[in-house]
Amino acid sequence: VDFTAFLNFALALVAVTQVGVAIGTFVSCAIESLVIAAGMAPLIVIPLMMATPLLATNDRLRPEFYWLEKLSMVRQGYVITLNSELSRLGPIDCDVAKYGAQFCERQPADGPAVLASLKMGGAEDEVWVMWVSLGIIFVLCHVACIAVLSVIARRKG
């Protein structure tokens, strides 16, 4: 087990969690009613989770919802983790006797081939781009929260 792969996974998990907290903080600052804020949070987070290529490639989102995958902190964490784990994965063995030759021929041969089959590996799916995206979303959520709180303070003050 490679320690850098574990470190990438752990840091990606922490970063996605912190961005989720930042979104929650913004929603709680922007909406006065606790009940409405609690109802709005899933309306924001669920579409972001659906933009994650966990069960299907992101081709299903394009071109109409292409912007959604850029805002999805879950997608960024997922891409970071997959790239970290699969980019250095060697040959993947397929048991021809168990699954048959036709099945094994259609399977990816190594980790980079798995990434290619998931349509990841372009310039926009590089790990550093995902880290920058997470940082930008984190900062924007906190800046928006500060802006909302300053507007509220001016109204009450």
Side-chain angles (χ1 to χ4, degrees), residues 73-157:
M73 75 279 191
V74 180
R75 180 185 187 277
Q76 274 93 2
Y78 186 70
V79 170
I80 289 169
T81 303
L82 278 183
N83 277 318
S84 174
E85 292 295 325
L86 296 178
S87 62
R88 53 181 154 257
L89 183 65
I92 301 171
D93 295 328
C94 183
D95 188 1
V96 177
K98 184 175 183 179
Y99 299 110
Q102 282 185 331
F103 177 81
C104 288
E105 288 172 4
R106 289 181 282 185
Q107 301 308 309
D110 57 6
V114 173
L115 288 173
S117 72
L118 293 171
K119 300 200 176 21
M120 289 185 203
E124 64 184 23
D125 289 331
E126 290 189 27
V127 173
W128 71 270
V129 174
M130 298 295 114
W131 284 113
V132 169
S133 297
L134 282 171
I136 289 171
I137 295 168
F138 179 80
V139 169
L140 286 178
C141 284
H142 283 291
V143 167
C145 186
I146 291 168
V148 167
L149 288 175
S150 67
V151 167
I152 291 170
R154 282 191 205 127
R155 266 195 254 154
K156 291 187 178 185

Side-chain angles (χ1 to χ4, degrees), residues 36-86:
I36 295 174
M40 286 299 293
L43 292 177
I44 295 169
V45 174
I46 288 175
L48 295 178
M49 289 172 58
M50 291 174 63
T52 304
L54 184 60
L55 300 175
T57 62
N58 278 338
D59 289 348
R60 63 188 159 76
L61 296 174
R62 295 180 180 151
E64 294 84 11
F65 296 107
Y66 180 71
W67 58 272
L68 194 58
E69 67 184 58
K70 301 303 172 205
L71 296 175
S72 175
M73 75 279 191
V74 180
R75 180 185 187 277
Q76 274 93 2
Y78 186 70
V79 170
I80 289 169
T81 303
L82 278 183
N83 277 318
S84 174
E85 292 295 325
L86 296 178

